[in-house]
Structure formats: C-alpha cells, structure tokens
Amino acid sequence: MTTTVPMLHLAKPVHQYWQNLPIRVKGIVIIAIPVTCLFTALAAFAWLKASLVEDENWVQHTQTVRIETKQLLNALLDAETGVRGYGLTQRDEFLAPYGSALEVIPSSLQRLEALVQDNPQQVARLDYIQELIAENLDIFERKMILQRNLTRIQGQADVLVPAASLYDWLEEGRATMDEARLAIDRFAQTEEDLLMERSQHQDLYRQITWIVLCISGVLGTLGALVAVHLFSHLEQELADREYHLRETNQRLETACDQLQRFTANASHELRAPLAAVLSNAQVGLMALDEPEGEAIALRGKLEKIVTLTKHMSTLVGDLLFLARHSGLLSDDTLKPVCLNDLLNHLLQDWIPQARASQLQLTGHIPQDHLSIQADANLLKQAIANLLSNACRYTAAGGSIQLSAYATSTQVTIQVSDTGIGIPSKALPHIFERFYRVDTKRSKTSGGFGLGLAIAQQIIYAHHGTLDVTSHLGQGSVFTITLPLATMLSEAVMIAS
C-alpha cells in the first residue's frame, strides 16, 4: 500500500509527459525500446562469452602445466630407477630410462618456465626445483662414475659390491630426491588449486550467462509488450487526430458555405434598397421641375426613401450586432436576472401587438423564482425575436404561447405557435443569416432573415441552446435552454 500510492502519483505525470510528446518522438521511443533490449542482450552475451573464453584458456593452460609437471616428475623417477637398476645389475640396458630422462628433463623445465612466467611464486618454486633436479642429476652421475670406477679397479665387471657398500650407495641422494619430489608436488598442488579456482570461476560465469539469458528474455518480452502497447496507443491517437481533422475540415467547409451564402445575401439585401433609394431620389429630382400639384407625389417618393433608409439602418444594425456578439459574453456582462419578471414584462409588451394581429398570446410562467446569469436586454431581444416571428407567421385567429419550466440544473423557455410551420428541409438552415423559407413572404412581412440568427447567437453567448420543431400547417415550437445561475458559475470556473 505504501509503495503503490507513490507509484500512482509518479505514473500520472509520466503519462502526461508522454501525451505531450510529439508524434515523431513517440515513434522513436517505441522503436528504441526493442532495439535497446536487443543491443543490451548482445553486449551482455559478448562480455560473458569473452569471460568464458578467457576462463577456458586459463583452464587449458593450467592443465598443460599439470601434465608437464607430471612428465617432469616421471622423468626424474625414471632417471633414479635407471641408475638404481644399473647399480644393482651392472647392466647398461637399465641406463636407457636415465638417458631418456636426461633429454626430457631440460625441455620440460623450459616449457614449464615459459608456462608459469606470469606467476612469480611458481617461477620461484620452479627455480628451486631446477636446483634440486640439477643436484639429483649430479648425484646420479657421480654414482655411475663411482660404480664404473669400482668395476674397473676390480677388473671384473660382474664382481658384486658388498651389501653395506651397496646400501650406502643406494641411500646416497635419497634426501635430495625426496626434497625434489616434495617440491614438484607443491608446485603441482599449486596448479591444482589454480585449476580448481579457475574451474569454479568458469562455472560461475556459466551460471551468470544462464541468468543473463533468462533476464534478457524477460526484459525483451516486456520491452516488446510495452512497445506494442505504446504503438497501439499511438495508432489510436493518430486515428483520433485524423477524425478531429476531418471533423474540423467539415466544419470549415460548412463555415465557408455559410460565409458564401452570407456574402451573397448581404450584397443582395444592401443592393436592392440602394437601387430603390437611387430610383426614388431621381424621380423626386424630376418632380421638382413639375408644377406644384405634383408636390404630393414628391412627398411620397421622399417618404419611400426614408422608409428604405430605415430598413437599411436596421439591417446594418443587425449585422453589427452579429459581428460584436460572435463569442461568449464576459463575466462582467452577466448579471443575476429574475427570469419570471423578464418573461412577464415581455408578455405585457407583446399582448397588444398580438391582439392587433388578431392573435391570442398566453403565458405559462412558474411562480417559483428562476434566477439566471444573463444580459437582460440581450436575452429579452432573443425572446422578442421569437415572439415577433410567431406573430408574423401565424394567421389571424391563431394562438401563441410563452412558457417556462425549470429542472435542477437548467431552465427551458418555449415559444410555440399555431402558425404556418416550417418545411422539414428548411429546418437545418433557418438559423443561418439571411436565410428565408419563403423569400416573397418574408419581404412582405419586412424581415431580413436575421432574427433567428441573432436569437441563436444571443443564446449561445449565454452558454445555452436554441432548438426548433415544426410541422407545416400546425405551427412551430422554439425551445431555449439556459443553465441556472449556480450551474453557469461552475461552468465558467471550469472553463477559466
């Protein structure tokens, strides 16, 4: 438990750091993981292989010294045996081992000297052995000379030597021979110890090689699994980015289409009244030359110019409004607003206009206090635009209803009518600027096709949504959804 918690705290920043890395760096890391494992394993095997080869060479070297030491000892024993046999039998064929030993011993000592030159202690022991062997060979030589001289003095080769003399002759040099044999045994025992030590070292490195093989296999497997895991995440990340790019491209294409339609419609809406103003002004100028009775006609033209200019001013004002409120409203702009009072005031303002159009406007506003963070004037304008459209496209005798209800997190405002309705194919476009379902009918009613766009932009600026459902000949329902004051404050804090 105590180690799991710090690991979790460490994993989070590591994961965040990995997410922030560029795609190129992530790809390099993923490729580097198995490559690093492979080269690490190869380096470890190369080092262990070199150590094993070195140990094997040392073992072979030590065994060679042991064999050479045994040959030296055997040659020395053969020399002693040959001399003894000659002394006892006086027969020259017993001197053959002695002669062979005299040839083997010098070469064996030279090879041993070359083999142990890197070991000062063995070199010292070998020097001592050489002295002892030289001393023993000298004793053997003196024995043979003594035996030959004795034979020549007696004049008979087969004369036996007295037992006491023979015993003394045999015992001569025994101590030196035993010392030489003991020195060779110590020299051989040292090599045995070295052989055991190097064999143990070789076994140790073989065990290490096996352990490194297992660890390399485990690390290689883990590295491959990590690389596959990271690669799958990278593939998913690339797929997500591709999806978002396609989505963004689709939105850009939609925005470009809307911008093209907006430019065409704005140009048309501005050009038509300008042409009318120009035409009426020209007619008015011509009327100045007419008799005074034509003054009434001139007044009509001027009034037409004023009307068209007002329409253009309204259009330009709407366009400026859309340009100025294209994003979310600032916190300073949003104030606590009592929605109940705002809707009741709107009802009082629009009931006379509805009656003038022979429409029935009713309201269903809850008694419970509904508070939202809003710009009261803008929100009032958005709802007024919906009421204006409802009055404009509902036939005389129809009805309009303004209602509101709230949940724990949001408030819903609906403007419903029993008007002519909107075709289903036009519903996706009715919030576009200058879009009109029926151009002739809209112009007759005095609209520019900006009212719904302005209403939607105002609602979006308040972190809300504006939706519509409609059926031809049955009417339309526009639904505004806004967060309550507490929920909006939390949303603003999270966004900041």
Side-chain angles (χ1 to χ4, degrees), residues 294-309:
E294 298 294 332
I296 298 176
L298 176 59
R299 182 180 182 82
K301 298 298 180 185
L302 293 176
E303 288 177 350
K304 183 67 173 178
I305 292 174
V306 171
T307 301
L308 291 171
T309 305

Side-chain angles (χ1 to χ4, degrees), residues 136-201:
N136 277 283
L137 291 178
D138 182 64
I139 292 172
F140 293 158
E141 185 66 23
R142 282 190 285 109
K143 281 183 176 180
M144 287 191 301
I145 293 172
L146 178 61
Q147 188 66 22
R148 287 171 179 169
N149 290 336
L150 182 61
T151 303
R152 186 174 60 253
I153 292 171
Q154 292 177 348
Q156 296 180 359
D158 56 349
V159 172
L160 297 179
V161 179
S165 299
L166 181 60
Y167 179 78
D168 294 339
W169 180 83
L170 291 175
E171 289 298 320
E172 183 182 5
R174 177 176 292 277
T176 305
M177 185 64 188
D178 291 340
E179 181 63 22
R181 188 181 303 170
L182 183 61
I184 294 173
D185 289 341
R186 287 198 295 268
F187 182 85
Q189 185 60 44
T190 301
E191 292 299 324
E192 290 288 344
D193 295 341
L194 288 175
L195 178 61
M196 182 178 296
E197 179 182 349
R198 286 163 182 172
S199 296
Q200 292 176 352
H201 190 266

Side-chain angles (χ1 to χ4, degrees), residues 321-322 378-379 381-387 389 402-403 410-416 422 427-432 450-469 476-483:
F321 178 89
L322 290 169
L378 292 178
L379 184 59
Q381 182 177 346
I383 300 173
N385 286 357
L386 300 181
L387 291 172
N389 278 354
L402 176 62
S403 59
Q410 62 185 19
V411 61
T412 301
I413 305 168
Q414 284 188 337
V415 177
S416 57
I422 304 171
L427 285 176
H429 306 289
I430 62 172
F431 294 110
E432 296 180 8
L450 293 175
L452 290 178
I454 292 174
Q456 186 189 51
Q457 189 160 317
I458 291 174
I459 298 305
Y460 280 178
H462 286 78
H463 302 274
T465 59
L466 174 58
D467 301 307
V468 59
T469 57
S476 304
V477 178
F478 287 87
T479 303
I480 297 173
T481 303
L482 292 170

Side-chain angles (χ1 to χ4, degrees), residues 51-69 111-112 114-116 118 191-192 194-202 206:
S51 299
L52 288 173
V53 170
E54 183 181 4
D55 288 341
E56 184 67 24
N57 292 334
W58 276 114
V59 169
Q60 292 294 334
H61 177 271
T62 306
Q63 289 179 346
T64 302
V65 174
R66 289 173 62 237
I67 294 172
E68 199 65 42
T69 303
R111 287 193 292 272
L112 285 174
L115 290 171
V116 301
D118 58 340
E191 292 299 324
E192 290 288 344
L194 288 175
L195 178 61
M196 182 178 296
E197 179 182 349
R198 286 163 182 172
S199 296
Q200 292 176 352
H201 190 266
Q202 189 178 26
R206 283 176 179 166

Side-chain angles (χ1 to χ4, degrees), residues 253-489:
E253 290 180 355
T254 304
C256 287
D257 293 340
Q258 292 178 352
L259 181 61
Q260 289 177 352
R261 286 198 296 271
F262 169 77
T263 304
N265 292 333
S267 300
H268 175 74
E269 295 295 338
L270 289 173
R271 186 170 55 189
L274 284 174
V277 169
L278 178 61
S279 174
N280 283 279
Q282 290 173 342
V283 173
L285 289 174
M286 289 187 293
L288 291 176
D289 299 332
E290 299 294 333
E292 293 183 356
E294 298 294 332
I296 298 176
L298 176 59
R299 182 180 182 82
K301 298 298 180 185
L302 293 176
E303 288 177 350
K304 183 67 173 178
I305 292 174
V306 171
T307 301
L308 291 171
T309 305
K310 287 181 178 178
H311 285 182
M312 289 181 61
S313 178
T314 302
L315 174 60
V316 173
D318 290 344
L319 292 175
L320 286 175
F321 178 89
L322 290 169
R324 287 171 180 171
H325 300 86
S326 58
L328 295 174
L329 296 173
S330 63
D331 296 341
D332 298 335
T333 307
L334 300 176
K335 304 293 182 185
V337 174
C338 178
L339 189 62
N340 311 70
D341 294 342
L342 186 144
L343 295 179
N344 284 322
H345 289 158
L346 275 172
L347 272 178
Q348 298 303 320
D349 292 341
W350 280 88
I351 284 177
Q353 297 185 40
R355 287 177 179 172
S357 301
Q358 299 179 2
L359 300 173
Q360 183 182 4
L361 175 59
T362 58
H364 292 276
I365 302 170
Q367 296 298 323
D368 296 336
H369 177 71
L370 300 177
S371 178
I372 61 174
Q373 291 284 343
D375 184 317
N377 294 327
L378 292 178
L379 184 59
K380 187 182 294 185
Q381 182 177 346
I383 300 173
N385 286 357
L386 300 181
L387 291 172
S388 175
N389 278 354
C391 292
R392 191 176 299 166
Y393 300 115
T394 302
S399 62
I400 302 171
Q401 185 180 68
L402 176 62
S403 59
Y405 58 90
T407 64
S408 59
T409 59
Q410 62 185 19
V411 61
T412 301
I413 305 168
Q414 284 188 337
V415 177
S416 57
D417 61 62
T418 58
I420 60 176
I422 304 171
S424 58
K425 66 178 182 181
L427 285 176
H429 306 289
I430 62 172
F431 294 110
E432 296 180 8
R433 299 170 186 180
F434 295 112
Y435 181 82
R436 296 188 182 94
V437 177
D438 187 342
T439 306
K440 294 181 179 179
R441 184 178 61 190
S442 297
K443 285 187 174 180
T444 302
S445 61
F448 294 106
L450 293 175
L452 290 178
I454 292 174
Q456 186 189 51
Q457 189 160 317
I458 291 174
I459 298 305
Y460 280 178
H462 286 78
H463 302 274
T465 59
L466 174 58
D467 301 307
V468 59
T469 57
S470 183
H471 300 283
L472 280 176
Q474 298 180 9
S476 304
V477 178
F478 287 87
T479 303
I480 297 173
T481 303
L482 292 170
L484 290 174
T486 54
M487 301 303 298
L488 179 59
S489 300

Side-chain angles (χ1 to χ4, degrees), residues 63-117:
Q63 289 179 346
T64 302
V65 174
R66 289 173 62 237
I67 294 172
E68 199 65 42
T69 303
K70 288 182 179 179
Q71 290 180 353
L72 175 64
L73 180 60
N74 291 334
L76 185 61
L77 293 175
D78 289 343
E80 182 189 21
T81 302
V83 172
R84 282 175 177 266
Y86 176 73
L88 293 174
T89 62
Q90 302 297 318
R91 300 174 62 177
D92 290 337
E93 57 267 26
F94 284 94
L95 291 178
Y98 174 72
S100 300
L102 293 179
E103 295 177 358
V104 171
I105 289 174
S107 59
S108 181
L109 288 173
Q110 289 179 356
R111 287 193 292 272
L112 285 174
E113 187 176 3
L115 290 171
V116 301
Q117 62 181 350

